[in-house]
Amino acid sequence: MSLPPGTEVLDTTACWALLGDADVGRLAVDNGGRPDIFPINFVIDNQSIIFRSGPGTKLAASALMHYVAFEIDGYEPSDRIAWSVVVKGRANQIERMQDVYNAQDLPLFPWIVSDKPYFVRITVDKVTGQRFRVIDQVTPDASIGWTGAQHPNDRLAVLPVPDEEHHEGAPHLRPD
């Protein structure tokens, strides 16, 4: 498979470094034969990913169905470089008492006010990543979590769809 010009495949060390610097990612699970994605905060522990969960779909789909994907991405505005890291592996609820105690000592706290007493570990089978330069004709903006200087040749803008509620997590791209 040939990569587009300007795309770099990240080695495993670079992928783990980016994962170690991130606070939040997206967990993809199989929910009864349908894909589901959850934003989660996480920590790295011995080249595995640990997150907390309350009872419900995220816990059941990850810890019972086991095979999951996890993704983080980012943008370096000064260099106009975007990157993405994808982890595939097996998720299991941490149940052995000593392992639960060890997980409780990690710097991993719920971000919302709800009970998240369960810890889940993703044992990584594969980690891959790519880095690429964002073309000059596109200016990622704050509505998708990216910031950068306005470029005089901007041809795409992030705008809300008319008559629809718009929030910063749901940008829409349209040509000017």
Side-chain angles (χ1 to χ4, degrees):
M1 177 175 118
S2 159
L3 294 173
T7 301
E8 170 193 2
V9 174
L10 299 174
D11 65 22
T12 303
T13 302
C15 290
W16 280 108
L18 290 167
L19 284 162
D21 288 341
D23 295 319
V24 67
R26 287 166 293 287
L27 175 72
V29 299
D30 177 344
N31 183 9
R34 295 181 182 266
D36 218 340
I37 298 177
F38 300 92
I40 59 171
N41 63 311
F42 68 99
V43 295
I44 302 297
D45 181 53
N46 296 319
Q47 291 206 326
S48 65
I49 295 168
I50 297 184
F51 66 93
R52 294 180 77 137
S53 181
T57 303
K58 179 174 44 176
L59 179 65
S62 62
L64 297 177
M65 299 304 290
H66 299 296
Y67 293 105
V68 300
F70 177 76
E71 190 261 349
I72 62 168
D73 54 29
Y75 179 66
E76 300 162 11
S78 61
D79 299 325
R80 297 187 61 80
I81 299 294
W83 53 266
S84 177
V85 174
V86 175
V87 171
K88 295 179 182 174
R90 189 171 175 88
N92 287 289
Q93 182 178 339
I94 297 174
E95 295 181 300
R96 285 189 46 228
M97 195 53 69
Q98 186 59 51
D99 295 336
V100 171
Y101 291 146
N102 292 342
Q104 288 172 336
D105 287 339
L106 295 171
L108 180 60
F109 307 98
W111 283 9
I112 61 173
V113 181
S114 68
D115 192 24
K116 296 195 179 286
Y118 306 109
F119 292 89
V120 177
R121 178 183 302 275
I122 300 172
T123 303
V124 176
D125 293 333
K126 185 175 185 179
V127 60
T128 60
Q130 292 186 3
R131 181 180 289 131
F132 58 92
R133 187 175 190 295
V134 175
I135 61 174
D136 290 336
Q137 291 79 11
V138 174
T139 298
D141 71 10
S143 72
I144 55 176
W146 294 350
T147 59
Q150 295 298 316
H151 190 279
N153 294 328
D154 289 346
R155 292 176 49 198
L156 292 178
V158 177
L159 299 171
V161 174
D163 300 322
E164 282 189 15
E165 182 178 337
H166 180 71
H167 59 86
E168 294 197 9
H172 297 277
L173 292 175
R174 76 165 177 84
D176 283 345

